[in-house]
Amino acid sequence: MSTPSLPLADLVRQVRQSREYHRLTDAIPYTRFMGIGVENLAGEMLCRMRYAPHLIGNSILPALHGGTLGALLESSAIFELLLQTDTERVPKVISTTVDFLRSGKAQDTFARAFITRQGRRVANVRVEAWQDDRTRPIASSHALFLLSEP
């Protein structure tokens, strides 16, 4: 864990070139708290939310809190936009829809974001989250982001 000494735009440019994704996620206190990191697994950029007891919403099952899954989905979309586009600022959420498909078990959760459409000012992103089996997602989202002001 390190404290960023660079402005975010400079850090994003460096991470795009170096592919040292942990530098970006370590610089954001929220992702550190949630245990969300960006990893290159099998040549694919994925987000992983490492399981921690504070992520549980229903302790009887135990199941991950829906807000933690929403945070993973939104973070995955933002990291995809930051690392795969030329945007110099953190994209702002315009709208998002989350579908909770299955209960999230007390274990690591993965997410993959896909930019489905990108214009000059806005981008549409679809994200899926899963645990054991990628073909059985536990949550998905569709979101619209503002990339730049008019």
Side-chain angles (χ1 to χ4, degrees):
M1 188 169 7
S2 65
T3 303
S5 57
L6 295 172
L8 182 62
D10 293 336
L11 180 60
V12 169
R13 272 188 237 110
Q14 288 183 3
V15 170
R16 283 177 185 150
Q17 292 178 349
S18 69
R19 306 273 183 210
E20 295 175 310
Y21 303 125
H22 69 90
R23 292 182 58 205
L24 184 59
T25 55
D26 288 352
I28 303 169
Y30 184 68
T31 57
R32 284 196 319 258
F33 175 75
M34 297 297 293
I36 296 173
V38 179
E39 301 177 9
N40 186 348
L41 298 174
E44 185 177 33
M45 193 177 78
L46 302 176
C47 277
R48 177 196 303 240
M49 182 170 67
R50 296 196 180 277
Y51 169 73
H54 69 272
L55 302 177
I56 294 295
N58 183 336
S59 58
I60 295 172
L61 292 179
L64 294 176
H65 190 282
T68 64
L69 293 173
L72 173 64
L73 295 167
E74 185 177 321
S75 297
S76 298
I78 290 172
F79 287 130
E80 182 75 11
L81 289 167
L82 281 174
L83 298 172
Q84 302 301 326
T85 67
D86 294 331
T87 187
E88 294 284 323
R89 52 178 262 191
V90 176
K92 292 182 181 175
V93 177
I94 297 172
S95 68
T96 186
T97 301
V98 176
D99 296 320
F100 297 100
L101 307 171
R102 292 178 179 77
S103 177
K105 296 180 269 183
Q107 63 186 61
D108 289 1
T109 306
F110 298 90
R112 171 72 168 104
F114 303 91
I115 300 171
T116 56
R117 182 183 179 279
Q118 181 187 349
R120 284 180 288 151
R121 295 179 45 211
V122 298
N124 296 69
V125 182
R126 180 175 54 87
V127 187
E128 289 184 350
W130 69 93
Q131 292 183 314
D132 295 326
D133 183 354
R134 190 173 185 162
T135 63
R136 295 181 41 89
I138 62 171
S140 65
S141 74
H142 295 269
L144 180 64
F145 289 89
L146 179 64
L147 300 176
S148 65
E149 297 292 334

